[in-house]
């Protein structure tokens, strides 16, 4: 299994955040190969980004990979994820239901954590069109994959949002904590985070 991340230069994320995620994956995931798609020199296996797609649009290059488990760099793994990965392997494409929009639109997607077991043509479509749309990569994936996905929340427990679950509800038994937006994991003290 390939576990993938993306680091594009010029933003909030740095190589040490890649190494932090790599270390968490080594601790909490079944055996895998960790890779980072990047335009930065890294001390881990790197796949060069082929395009200068701005911001989160660089994530569309993930779909050059025929299969992978993907985490945003501001994801924190806090427990054994073996059961959730085994659950994902029963499906073609697994993505998060958006923690906010999903309350009124059950097909709303959030691309912080994804898994696909066979090739997905999202890269080719985006490379041909390069249409930057409102809502970013999530909206693009949502448009093309609307009826072809399984949602993490429907197949396993233990994936929570820092802002929507941990802060207001005090959820402390998660295995994966999604930090979408601010604060970043290194800007808070509630969930342990160690720079790699």
């Amino acid at each position: 299994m390939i576990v993938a991340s993306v680091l594009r230069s010029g933003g909030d994320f740095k190589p040490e955040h890649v190494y932090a995620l790599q270390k968490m994956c080594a601790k909490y995931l079944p055996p895998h190969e960790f890779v980072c798609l990047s335009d930065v020199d890294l001390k881990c296996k790197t796949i060069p980004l082929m395009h200068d797609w701005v911001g989160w649009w660089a994530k569309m290059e993930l779909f050059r990979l025929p299969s992978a488990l993907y985490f945003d760099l501001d994801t924190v793994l806090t427990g054994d994820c073996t059961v959730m990965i085994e659950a994902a392997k029963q499906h073609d494409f697994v993505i998060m239901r958006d923690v906010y929009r999903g309350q009124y639109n059950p097909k709303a997607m959030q691309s912080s954590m994804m898994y696909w077991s066979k090739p997905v043509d999202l890269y080719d479509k985006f490379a041909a069109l390069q249409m930057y749309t409102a809502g970013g990569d999530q909206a693009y994936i949502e448009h093309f994959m609307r009826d072809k996905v399984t949602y993490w929340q429907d197949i396993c427990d233990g994936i929570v949002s820092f802002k929507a679950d941990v802060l207001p509800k005090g959820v402390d038994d998660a295995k994966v904590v999604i930090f979408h937006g601010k604060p970043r994991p290194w800007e808070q003290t509630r969930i342990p985070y160690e720079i790699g």
Side-chain angles (χ1 to χ4, degrees):
M1 176 177 72
I2 292 176
V3 176
S5 60
V6 176
L7 173 64
R8 186 182 183 280
S9 59
D12 288 352
F13 299 101
K14 308 295 179 205
E16 55 263 31
H17 303 127
V18 175
Y19 308 142
L21 179 62
Q22 182 182 27
K23 189 184 298 183
M24 288 182 275
C25 289
K27 184 175 182 179
Y28 293 120
L29 293 180
H32 61 274
E33 177 184 7
F34 184 91
V35 301
C36 184
L37 282 76
S38 185
D39 60 356
V40 174
D41 288 331
L42 297 170
K43 297 175 186 173
C44 66
K45 183 169 181 180
T46 307
I47 298 172
L49 290 170
M50 294 175 55
H51 307 276
D52 191 26
W53 292 339
V54 298
W56 52 58
W57 291 105
K59 286 167 64 173
M60 297 308 296
E61 292 204 41
L62 284 165
F63 300 107
R64 292 165 41 200
L65 301 174
S67 63
L69 170 66
Y70 166 78
F71 296 104
D72 275 352
L73 290 176
D74 56 355
T75 303
V76 179
L77 280 62
T78 59
D80 185 354
C81 298
T82 303
V83 172
M84 67 178 60
I85 301 312
E86 289 305 312
K89 287 180 178 178
Q90 308 305 310
H91 304 279
D92 294 339
F93 192 96
V94 185
I95 194 167
M96 287 187 64
R97 180 175 292 109
D98 190 278
V99 297
Y100 296 120
R101 294 182 303 122
Q103 296 173 20
Y104 57 87
N105 175 5
K107 292 190 175 185
M109 299 176 195
Q110 182 172 335
S111 62
S112 302
M113 179 178 172
M114 300 182 284
Y115 169 83
W116 57 103
S117 60
K118 61 183 185 180
V120 180
D121 64 354
L122 289 169
Y123 167 74
D124 292 331
K125 286 178 179 173
F126 188 77
L129 299 173
Q130 292 189 41
M131 291 177 50
Y132 299 131
T133 58
D137 63 291
Q138 297 178 158
Y140 195 86
I141 295 168
E142 193 173 306
H143 174 76
F144 285 105
M145 300 295 291
R146 181 166 294 272
D147 298 312
K148 303 174 187 173
V149 305
T150 301
Y151 295 90
W152 285 107
Q153 294 96 322
D154 294 341
I155 62 170
C156 63
D157 297 320
I159 302 170
V160 301
S161 157
F162 181 76
K163 289 190 288 190
D165 298 310
V166 175
L167 286 182
K169 303 172 190 172
V171 176
D172 292 317
D173 60 349
K175 292 179 174 47
V176 179
V177 181
I178 305 297
F179 283 79
H180 39 101
K182 299 288 185 174
R184 301 297 192 191
W186 56 91
E187 297 172 339
Q188 55 82 49
T189 57
R190 181 76 180 265
I191 302 295
Y193 181 81
E194 183 179 335
I195 291 288

